[in-house]
Amino acid sequence: MADLILFNKPFQVLCQFTDEPTKDGQKRRATLADWIRIPNIYPAGRLDYDSEGLLLLTSDGALQHRIASPEQKMPKTYWVQVEGEISASAIDQLAAGVTLKDGRTRAAKARKMDEPELWPRVPPVRQRNTVPTSWLELTITEGRNRQVRRMTAAVGFPTLRLIRYRIGDWSLDGVEPGKYRKIPVNLPTTPKSAKRPIPTKSGKTPRRRRSS
């Protein structure tokens, strides 16, 4: 049994527990430590600074790997506000896969949706009075850098607001922005070595700030 944290990450919050200092004296950005005071947990996957929604965290390395590993192909569902009235042909292109600089994306699930009932974003999305906006639901099984934003831009509809609603069987339902919910998850028995947090690409364990 492992504990999983379902966190609704607000806009402009770093997906880590510390912010690296800058040489030009830039103000410290908000981090997970400003919202979560649970020791020894780490994000299972990433969510961009300027994206909102579901982020999963755990102290169990096997569960972290199951969620974050590209080999698992765990589906992730996003609600996306785009600039312009998105067309049926653009939806079809997103579903079939689009060609990006780092290759063609896998087939996805894409559909136009009504504007969801959401919390207000702070600061609000900048919109032009002369240009309409629309919403789509997009489910992908990859995790390329800024993939959803690049996909909608590739079909001619830039992303204005991006919210991750679901990862696998877990969703934002019942989790308000800036809040989290802890749930138990049953896992098969794994070697002790698999229960440590998965290192980052640099070979280091993800950094976090000590709880005070």
Side-chain angles (χ1 to χ4, degrees):
M1 186 76 72
D3 285 334
L4 183 67
I5 305 300
L6 282 64
F7 177 55
N8 188 345
K9 188 185 85 67
F11 180 65
Q12 291 186 342
V13 172
L14 284 176
C15 189
Q16 57 195 49
F17 283 87
T18 58
D19 185 17
E20 298 294 338
T22 59
K23 295 181 180 180
D24 58 2
Q26 179 182 348
K27 184 180 178 181
R28 186 187 72 85
R29 294 167 293 182
T31 71
L32 298 178
D34 297 308
W35 305 88
I36 304 173
R37 294 300 182 94
I38 301 175
N40 303 318
I41 60 170
Y42 303 92
R46 309 293 296 176
L47 188 59
D48 291 336
Y49 178 70
D50 52 357
S51 296
E52 306 162 71
L54 184 61
L55 178 68
L56 303 178
L57 303 97
T58 183
S59 61
D60 189 284
L63 180 57
Q64 187 187 41
H65 178 76
R66 172 184 163 192
I67 296 168
S69 174
E71 288 78 17
Q72 300 295 325
K73 299 181 180 179
M74 185 168 285
K76 300 175 181 66
T77 298
Y78 296 84
W79 290 347
V80 194
Q81 183 184 23
V82 297
E83 187 175 83
E85 192 67 38
I86 194 163
S87 62
S89 61
I91 294 288
D92 290 343
Q93 290 178 64
L94 292 170
V98 297
T99 301
L100 306 177
K101 288 184 178 180
D102 52 356
R104 190 170 183 80
T105 62
R106 295 174 187 158
K109 293 181 180 179
R111 69 176 184 90
K112 189 174 180 179
M113 63 182 292
D114 293 332
E115 181 176 351
E117 295 185 7
L118 294 170
W119 57 91
R121 203 191 79 172
V122 181
V125 175
R126 292 183 180 179
Q127 299 182 27
R128 292 183 288 174
N129 294 332
T130 57
V131 180
T133 69
S134 52
W135 286 83
L136 67 139
E137 183 179 83
L138 184 64
T139 301
I140 61 176
T141 55
E142 299 175 278
R144 305 188 198 185
N145 185 43
R146 302 182 72 81
Q147 180 175 340
V148 172
R149 295 177 186 277
R150 291 192 291 144
M151 288 177 70
T152 66
V155 298
F157 295 88
T159 291
L160 298 174
R161 188 177 184 185
L162 182 59
I163 297 164
R164 187 159 64 194
Y165 169 68
R166 182 184 295 275
I167 301 174
D169 295 329
W170 304 292
S171 77
L172 280 180
D173 292 343
V175 186
E176 296 296 322
K179 303 296 183 180
Y180 62 84
R181 182 161 59 96
K182 181 189 293 187
I183 61 172
V185 176
N186 287 311
L187 285 176
T189 302
T190 55
K192 291 184 179 180
S193 60
K195 293 185 179 181
R196 298 182 62 187
I198 304 301
T200 61
K201 290 182 179 179
S202 65
K204 298 180 180 179
T205 299
R207 298 181 60 188
R208 58 166 293 132
R209 190 176 70 184
R210 292 182 180 178
S211 299
S212 58

